[in-house]
Amino acid sequence: MMDHKMKKNPGSIPHSVWPAEAIGPLERAAADACGLTLYELMLCAGDAVFQAAQRAYPDARSWLVLCGHGNNGGDGYVAARLAKAAGIEVTLLALESDRPLPEEAAQAREAWLNAGGEIHSADIVWPKGAGVIIDALLGTGLQHAPRAPVAGCIERANDYPAPIVAIDIPSGLLAQTGAAPGAVIDAAHTITFIALKPGLLTGKARNYTGHLHYDALGLEAWLTGQEAPFRRVEVSQLARWLTPRRPASHKGDHGRLVIVGGDRGTGGAIRMAGEAALRAGAGLVRVLTRRENIAPLLAARPELMVHELTPRTLEESLAWADVVVVGPGLGQQEWGKKALQKIENFRQPMLWDADALNLLAINPDKRHNRLITPHPGEAARLLGCPVAEVENDRLDAARRLVKRYGGVVVLKGAGTIVADESGALAVVDAGNAGMASGGMGDVLSGIIGAFLGQKLAPYDAACAGCVAHGAAADALAAELGTRGMLASDLFSPLRRMVNPDAIDE
C-alpha cells in the first residue's frame, strides 16, 4: 500500500544519469554509431510509448494525444498513429507555432496525416470519455516555466478525468534540476528514452513522474560503453558496499564510533543516532551527552556506552575513536560550541549534522576528512542563499557546498544528492514522503557513521547510508503506508537492509 508517488519497473532503470544538455549530442552519437537515423529513433520512441500505454491501460479504447512543436511532439504523432492502427479512437490536439517543426517531427506528423489521422487545435472543446492522455507537449530542453498556450493545455490535462502517460519527462518539469517553475503535467506514468535525466529523480520529480519506465531504443550496447557523469544509487547496490563479514571478525574490526550531542531537551536525537549506528553494524558506539541523558539512554539501549560530555571525556574519546559524528541535538550554546572546536581538529573521518552545520555556517572552513549532511534549510545557511535557490538546482547546490566546505556532501531531500571533491555525484533513488518527520536525519547520521567505521570510503559510506536509510523507509511504507512513520520505526527494516546477502530475493 505504498502511497509515495514515483515507482519504477524493477531492473529496468539504468544507474547512469546524464545532464540534460548532454542528451541531444548523446542521442545523435548513439544513432550514428548504430547506423540509425534520428527519425528511426523517433519511430522506436513512439512505439515504446504506445506499448507502455497499452500495458498500463489495456481497456482504454479512446486516447487523447497532446502534441507540442518539437521532437517530443513527434514521438506523440508516432504513438497516435500506432494506436489508430490498433483500432483505438485517437483525438490528437496540436499546439501550432510560427516555427517549422524539426525535420523528424515533421515526418512523423506527415505519417499521421497519411494514415488518415486528423489534427485539432488544442483550444477546441476536448472530447469526453478518453481513457488515457498522452503528454507529448514539452521535452527535455525546457528551461523555464511553460508559457501560454502550453501552460493552459497542461492545466486542462491535469483536470481531465483520465490518467496521463508522459513522454520522456512530464511537460513543465525541468530535466536538469527537477524544478517545477510553473504548470507541470501530473503523470501516472513517464517513459523516458536513451538516458536517465537528473530531473526525473530529484527536486519535485516524485510529485509528477508517477511510474517511471525506461527504454534504450535499441542502443543498449553502445550506451553501456559510455561513462555517465552522474550515478543513480538504489537498494540493489547495497551488496556491493556491504559485503558479508569474515567469520572470525570482532567488534574492534567494525569501528569505534563516538557520537556527540544531545543538549538539554534533545536527548532523543542522540539516542536515535546511537541506536542507528548499532543497527547499521558499528562495533562500538560511545555517546557523549548531558549528564541527565545518561540514565534514559542506557535504559533504552544498554549496548551504547554513554558518558557525560566534559573536556576530559571528549579528549579521551577522540583519542579512542575511528570516527566521530557530531551534531544531533548539539544545540548552538557554549556547551556545543566548545565541543565542536575540539572535534574540528580530529584527523580521521567525521560527520557533521544538524547544529554542527548551523555553527559551521557561522564559522565556515574547508576540511577534506569531513562529511556534512544538510537538509535544504541548512544548505541555504551554509551557502548564504535562499532555500528556494537550493531547491531549484540541487545538483549545483551540492557542488557548491563541496567547493566551499570540502569532503563529502549529502544534500538531503526527495532525491538526495551525494557529491565529493573528485567530482563524483550520485542521486539516491530510495525513500518516500513518510520520512518527512523528526529524527530521520539523526538516524541517517548514525548509519553513515557506522559505515565509515566499517572502513567504507566516505563517498561510498554516504551513498550506502542514504540508500539503506531510504530503503528501510520504503519497506515500512510498503507494509503500512507513509503517514505516521517514525524515525525509530526504521531500526527493524534497517537491519535487513544492511545485511543484503541475507535478504531473500
Side-chain angles (χ1 to χ4, degrees):
M1 50 185 294
M2 277 186 167
D3 65 2
H4 51 294
K5 185 85 185 291
M6 190 177 75
K7 303 175 185 178
K8 294 161 286 297
N9 291 344
S12 67
I13 310 297
H15 292 114
S16 57
V17 181
W18 292 84
E21 66 269 16
I23 301 301
L26 185 72
E27 182 177 314
R28 289 189 289 274
D32 289 344
C34 297
L36 297 171
T37 66
L38 292 179
Y39 182 59
E40 287 171 325
L41 281 186
M42 183 172 286
L43 294 176
C44 292
D47 181 63
V49 173
F50 169 66
Q51 299 292 345
Q54 277 231 298
R55 283 193 301 270
Y57 305 105
D59 297 328
R61 305 312 300 165
S62 176
W63 287 16
L64 185 59
V65 180
L66 310 178
C67 289
H69 203 72
N71 281 332
N72 197 255
D75 297 340
Y77 283 114
V78 175
R81 178 171 54 80
L82 294 172
K84 186 175 187 300
I88 295 169
E89 181 184 349
V90 179
T91 301
L92 188 146
L93 309 181
L95 293 169
E96 297 298 338
S97 169
D98 295 335
R99 296 178 291 105
L101 276 172
E103 180 182 350
E104 296 79 25
Q107 285 181 264
R109 180 180 186 275
E110 191 66 24
W112 163 249
L113 292 172
N114 289 339
E118 296 182 15
I119 299 175
H120 303 277
S121 173
D123 60 7
I124 67 167
V125 176
W126 289 15
K128 296 180 179 179
V132 66
I133 295 176
I134 305 298
D135 163 34
L137 291 170
L138 299 170
T140 60
L142 185 70
Q143 297 181 359
H144 51 73
R147 303 187 180 101
V150 182
C153 193
I154 289 171
E155 289 167 358
R156 288 183 73 181
N158 287 339
D159 290 340
Y160 193 95
I164 304 174
V165 175
I167 297 180
D168 218 7
I169 190 167
S171 293
L173 189 66
L174 304 193
Q176 177 61 21
T177 64
V184 185
I185 284 288
D186 189 3
H189 295 264
T190 297
I191 178 162
T192 198
F193 310 119
I194 300 178
L196 204 56
K197 299 89 183 168
L200 291 167
L201 301 172
T202 194
K204 299 297 184 183
R206 294 183 182 214
N207 285 346
Y208 301 108
T209 50
H211 295 251
L212 183 61
H213 310 257
Y214 168 79
D215 197 304
L217 305 182
L219 304 176
E220 293 89 344
W222 186 85
L223 291 167
T224 299
Q226 310 308 306
E227 186 64 34
F230 313 141
R231 303 295 294 173
R232 180 180 73 96
V233 291
E234 45 79 37
V235 66
S236 74
Q237 295 166 288
L238 285 174
R240 177 167 63 86
W241 295 304
L242 305 176
T243 55
R245 290 182 167 181
R246 296 182 66 83
S249 64
H250 58 81
K251 60 189 177 185
D253 294 330
H254 305 303
R256 296 186 297 261
L257 174 61
V258 168
I259 306 180
V260 181
D263 200 354
R264 292 187 176 94
T266 58
I270 203 73
R271 180 263 165 109
M272 286 187 286
E275 183 162 351
L278 290 172
R279 290 299 185 190
L284 294 163
V285 179
R286 181 182 293 184
V287 173
L288 301 182
T289 187
R290 287 284 190 182
R291 178 191 293 270
E292 55 263 41
N293 293 332
I294 295 175
L297 262 66
L298 288 174
R301 183 48 58 206
E303 295 86 353
L304 292 170
M305 300 180 289
V306 189
H307 304 272
E308 182 182 5
L309 173 62
T310 67
R312 181 182 62 80
T313 60
L314 181 57
E315 183 177 352
E316 291 174 351
S317 296
L318 293 178
W320 172 84
D322 299 317
V323 177
V324 170
V325 171
V326 59
L330 184 70
Q332 298 182 51
Q333 306 307 312
E334 282 303 306
W335 183 80
K337 286 180 181 178
K338 288 180 179 178
L340 194 62
Q341 287 168 0
K342 292 285 187 182
I343 292 167
E344 66 184 6
N345 295 315
F346 188 66
R347 298 298 183 186
Q348 298 191 73
M350 57 181 173
L351 184 151
W352 292 25
D353 186 31
D355 282 320
L357 300 179
N358 294 323
L359 293 171
L360 178 61
I362 298 168
N363 294 296
D365 64 15
K366 189 171 187 176
R367 297 187 185 273
H368 306 296
N369 64 322
R370 181 176 57 204
L371 196 154
I372 62 174
T373 58
H375 58 55
E378 292 160 346
R381 288 190 283 277
L382 288 165
L383 292 173
C385 70
V387 175
E389 185 176 318
V390 172
E391 287 292 76
N392 285 340
D393 194 338
R394 291 168 52 77
L395 279 74
D396 182 64
R399 290 195 192 98
R400 288 162 57 198
L401 286 165
V402 167
K403 185 176 181 180
R404 182 173 299 186
Y405 294 98
V408 175
V409 168
V410 174
L411 178 55
K412 297 182 290 197
T416 290
I417 307 295
V418 181
D420 75 1
E421 292 180 276
S422 75
L425 189 147
V427 185
V428 178
D429 195 7
N432 60 76
M435 302 174 80
S437 64
M440 288 289 177
D442 304 316
V443 170
L444 178 62
S445 294
I447 296 169
I448 297 175
F451 289 169
L452 289 168
Q454 292 168 77
K455 306 300 188 292
L456 268 70
Y459 179 79
D460 289 342
C463 289
C466 291
V467 169
H469 184 240
D474 286 342
L476 283 173
E479 182 181 359
L480 299 169
T482 56
R483 188 173 283 111
M485 186 185 298
L486 303 181
S488 56
D489 292 340
L490 267 60
F491 295 145
S492 179
L494 174 64
R495 189 175 176 190
R496 297 201 304 272
M497 298 307 160
V498 301
N499 290 286
D501 55 303
I503 296 175
D504 185 17
E505 297 293 342

